[in-house]
Amino acid sequence: MTARILDGSSVAARLRAEIAEQVAALTTLQRRAPGLAVVLVGDNPASQVYVRNKGVATRKAGMVSVEHRLPDDVQETELLALIARLNADDAVDGVLVQLPLPPQVRSEKVLAAIDPDKDVDGFHALNVGRLWGGEAGLVPCTPRGCMKLIVEAGRDIGGMDAVVIGRSGIVGKPMTQLLLAANCTVTIAHSRTRDLPEVCRRADILVAAVGVPNLVTAGFIRPGATVIDVGINRVAKADGGSRLVGDVAFEEAVEVAGAITPVPGGVGPMTIACLLENTLTAYRRRVES
Ligand code: NAD
């Protein structure tokens, strides 16, 4: 059996087109487009690419994108002052601080300073609590995108066994909450889990969010399972270049799984589309409250 490929690029393009349509309609009514402010500290090349891509996607959706670039040696107080200004700015619906931050700045302090109603990354403790409590809040973009791809696989997932490998606050933990809310029986596996392949083989839905290239081999996968690969790992090629791979050994996994996401072109594009969705949600809540 060869798995169905869950094409994140085309699902994300569809979602972005729907969002752009809604933005066009709302902008006519409200006379103001949704606004996203992205804060980038330093010159980390990967962060620069992420921020640029977010800006392009935001503008394509008809929203206003404003980038704030601060030097690598910025003081925490200066960054907090910028966030306070963005919180108070009526034209800004979403505030996103690109991680990682330099060591002199405490990330938790910065994330806690963002107005929870503008917290489009969903990392503020209030939004984390809302997710765990089953209340409507802003949900982290990557797990939200994973859920959309799981739905795309077209199976009724209520009652299914789901295993999430990875327990970070950005992906693993919120992913488990979303699966639980969708009535799955959820297991969180991590670096200390005993017999990881055996735990993973119980899964009807397997989500890998680890950061270890090709960790999940065919022997981890129950035949027919839906496999979502969140990992983004750059590995060297024989010719001296490099390429991106996920946490799943795609070539062998595709022969066992029922549905699977590729890397690149799987979860990655969904993350940005869900950021736009969160920005639109934050905007609606602000203009309608
Ligand atoms: P993290 O380092 O914060 O967490 C990794 C988790 O994996 C930890 O909880 C750890 O316990 C677990 N782990 C580590 N080694 C393990 C092993 N050998 N076996 C089992 N579990 C193990 O990472 P993160 O921020 O959650 O990101 C995970 C991956 O997802 C990375 O490759 C990252 O680049 C990628 N990512 C992708 C997107 C996207 O948009 N596609 C977004 C965020 C993160």
Side-chain angles (χ1 to χ4, degrees):
M1 183 175 80
T2 303
R4 181 176 154 204
I5 307 298
L6 299 171
D7 178 356
S9 300
S10 71
V11 178
R14 204 168 67 214
L15 179 59
R16 288 207 313 266
E18 284 166 18
I19 292 167
E21 246 176 61
Q22 292 177 45
V23 169
L26 278 166
T27 307
T28 316
L29 280 177
Q30 306 290 344
R31 300 203 183 108
R32 173 174 87 74
L36 174 65
V38 179
V39 180
L40 174 62
V41 180
D43 48 13
N44 176 319
S47 295
Q48 287 187 339
V49 172
Y50 292 142
V51 166
R52 193 164 52 242
N53 291 346
K54 284 168 187 172
V56 169
T58 308
R59 284 186 283 274
K60 269 195 186 159
M63 303 185 190
V64 177
S65 165
V66 185
E67 286 167 28
H68 296 266
R69 290 171 184 265
L70 298 172
D72 201 44
D73 61 356
V74 71
Q75 289 309 303
E76 189 179 273
T77 46
E78 201 183 322
L79 181 50
L80 291 174
L82 170 62
I83 289 173
R85 285 200 300 279
L86 296 173
N87 284 345
D89 187 339
D90 272 343
V92 172
D93 302 287
V95 178
L96 182 155
V97 177
Q98 185 67 45
L99 300 176
L101 291 170
Q104 77 277 12
V105 177
R106 289 166 292 177
S107 303
E108 65 285 359
K109 182 113 187 172
V110 171
L111 296 181
I114 297 172
D115 177 346
D117 294 334
K118 296 189 178 188
D119 169 38
V120 283
D121 255 341
F123 296 160
H124 190 287
L126 194 69
N127 284 319
V128 174
R130 283 174 176 155
L131 182 60
W132 283 77
E135 274 178 54
L138 292 164
V139 175
C141 304
T142 300
R144 194 181 172 91
C146 292
M147 280 310 287
K148 288 182 192 291
L149 291 175
I150 291 167
V151 168
E152 190 69 17
R155 301 162 79 194
D156 178 5
I157 66 170
M160 280 191 177
D161 286 313
V163 174
V164 178
I165 323 175
R167 54 180 163 180
S168 73
I170 294 174
V171 192
K173 283 180 188 157
M175 189 71 234
T176 62
Q177 282 308 306
L178 293 176
L179 288 162
L180 193 58
N183 298 317
C184 292
T185 303
V186 188
T187 303
I188 311 182
H190 46 78
S191 53
R192 304 288 293 274
T193 297
R194 277 179 291 174
D195 201 351
L196 186 64
E198 196 276 324
V199 171
C200 293
R201 273 195 302 274
R202 294 183 215 147
D204 301 300
I205 299 167
L206 179 60
V207 180
V210 186
V212 175
N214 303 323
L215 173 78
V216 176
T217 53
F220 285 53
I221 299 169
R222 174 189 276 192
T226 298
V227 177
I228 306 292
D229 189 355
V230 184
I232 302 178
N233 309 293
R234 189 163 285 286
V235 295
K237 285 200 299 185
D239 65 5
S242 68
R243 67 188 178 105
L244 290 182
V245 299
D247 293 339
V248 178
F250 184 84
E251 245 77 291
E252 51 185 274
V254 75
E255 301 299 330
V256 187
I260 188 166
T261 60
V263 176
V267 175
M270 295 302 295
T271 298
I272 291 194
C274 289
L275 171 67
L276 302 180
E277 195 175 50
N278 273 353
T279 305
L280 182 55
T281 301
Y283 168 86
R284 278 186 198 279
R285 288 186 186 157
R286 294 186 65 247
V287 297
E288 285 163 14
S289 67

